[in-house]
Amino acid sequence: MSSSDRRTELFLIKLGMAKQVKMENVDRISGLHDSILIHILSFLSSKQVIRTSILSTRWRYLFALLPNLHFDFEGDLWRRGYTSYRQIDIYSYGCLVDKMLITHNMTNIDKLRLKCRTMIDPDRFHSWISAAVHRGVKHLDLNISPGKFTTRPAVLFTCRTLVTLKLCMEFDFVLDVPKGAHFPNLKTIYLEEVNFSNDDSVKSLLSGCTSLEDLVIEKFLMSNISNFNISHHLLKRLTLLYTYQSDYGWITIDAPNLVYLEYDDELVAGYSLQNLQSLVKADIDISNSLEVDGSTFFRGICNVRSLILSDTSLELLLSCEPLPVFANLVKLKIHCSNDLRPYYDQWEKGLETLLSSLPELEKLEFNQEALISLPEKVPSCLLSKLKSIKISGFTDERDCIGKAKYFLKNGRALEKLTIRTALRCSEERKSKISKVLSASPRESKHLCIFIF
């Protein structure tokens, strides 16, 4: 008996399930309500759950009532001590899935998670997906190799019960969504390493999701796409991470109800950002050089209220002519990359230039190196709106302290100044910074200074 099997048996014994435990001739465990027994089974692996069916007739088909099914082929075999997979192992595991998913389909499925990078027969795989759809699956999480979808299971694209769909594939898998795709209840889509067949396939997927609110696309291959068009009237959250082969492709975003945008990538050939008036928060990390103009992109998100920018994104934004005005922005954070710090002194302009385009800014967080020089004209936000400033990477150098003094002198509405010192800054230097700033002239009468 393997150590894993032994642990399983001990676990079952502790629960009183390995044998019918009788107290005063009453089987108290088997007498529990189905919902309690199902809750107990939910803590076991799929293989362990099947083993409980031999305990008694009461337990024989309880496993079929489980609402959440999780199959991890490679993970389950690894936990059993297998370092390579034999054909008999693949066949045996397939039978296990058949038994739990197809043979005893007594109840609806809330969530099915299937992780399988090993080549299981595609027809068998399709039968699992079909069974899940027919059993009303709400949350489907597939992490598979492309061989499983040599032909697509058509029933998947008309699943009326799906609420969440997560597909993790490989780049050589091409997703061809039929025009008749219809997911009336699908609210969340997560796609990783998915390559759409063409522009129409993207359109078919999004137009078929009439309730879509959250879309995440990671490691997306644009080799077959000329215009990646994300147009949806209900979409609230959009995350785009790492597109590939995007030198000639466009990205279009038309989402009047979008409140959150995360974009971490290089610039593509072109953008069309429309109807983003509801945008509340954006997290932008654009990493390529300044050879591409980012004006269209930043003008498209200028209605945002809260903005996180990487330092490379800040540099790209500052290169835009004219500089966009973020009329509604109240919170700005500049994220500093350690890799770029030696190059800040090569910037012609920094955060001080952007501040003039942020008339409503109330909260600012940045690394002191992003402020290349002090603004010649005091920004209007500093005179009337800015309430909280956090400066990181701070030292006791004269130039650095001068930046903090500038905010103290001109920040009429400033309530909180937080100084996070650099790692090399000793307690003695922190004390020096505290004394200098505490004695500096300040415009605000209700200002607190915190130094860490």
Side-chain angles (χ1 to χ4, degrees), residues 412-425:
R412 295 177 182 175
L414 199 58
E415 298 174 357
K416 182 180 179 180
L417 175 62
T418 302
I419 302 295
R420 182 169 292 278
T421 56
L423 294 176
R424 65 180 184 275
C425 194

Side-chain angles (χ1 to χ4, degrees), residues 252-269:
T252 295
I253 303 175
D254 185 350
N257 283 298
L258 193 71
V259 296
Y260 175 79
L261 171 65
E262 181 179 359
Y263 187 76
D264 188 346
D265 204 355
E266 297 183 352
L267 283 178
V268 298

Side-chain angles (χ1 to χ4, degrees), residues 1-15 44 48 51 76 78-81:
M1 178 183 297
S2 69
S3 59
S4 176
D5 291 339
R6 179 57 181 167
R7 285 195 299 269
T8 301
E9 183 176 0
L10 291 173
F11 184 75
L12 296 177
I13 291 174
K14 289 179 181 179
L15 290 174
L44 305 179
Q48 292 168 342
R51 292 185 62 192
D76 287 347
W78 179 81
R79 282 186 287 272
R80 292 166 57 191

Side-chain angles (χ1 to χ4, degrees), residues 116 140 143 147 156 164 167 181 205 222-223 230 250 291 350 357 365 399 421 425:
C116 182
L140 185 60
N143 188 329
L156 173 62
T164 303
L167 297 178
L205 177 62
M222 288 187 65
S223 56
I230 304 173
W250 277 63
E291 297 175 358
S357 296
E365 182 176 342
D399 178 65
T421 56
C425 194

Side-chain angles (χ1 to χ4, degrees), residues 16 19 28 36 54 82 96 114 127 137-138 165 182 198 208 215-216 228 289 298 337 380 394:
K19 300 288 184 180
R28 298 188 182 278
I36 298 177
I54 65 174
Y82 290 90
L96 168 67
L114 179 60
S127 70
V137 63
K138 293 181 180 179
L165 175 62
H182 186 47
N198 49 45
L215 176 62
V216 179
F228 187 56
S289 67
F298 286 109
S337 169
S380 61
F394 209 85

Side-chain angles (χ1 to χ4, degrees), residues 392-408:
S392 58
F394 209 85
T395 68
D396 62 344
E397 295 177 3
R398 182 177 179 180
D399 178 65
C400 191
I401 291 179
K403 296 174 183 179
K405 284 184 175 182
Y406 178 87
F407 289 110
L408 290 174

Side-chain angles (χ1 to χ4, degrees), residues 414-418 442 446-450:
L414 199 58
E415 298 174 357
K416 182 180 179 180
L417 175 62
T418 302
R442 62 187 69 184
H446 307 286
L447 173 63
C448 295
I449 301 177
F450 300 93

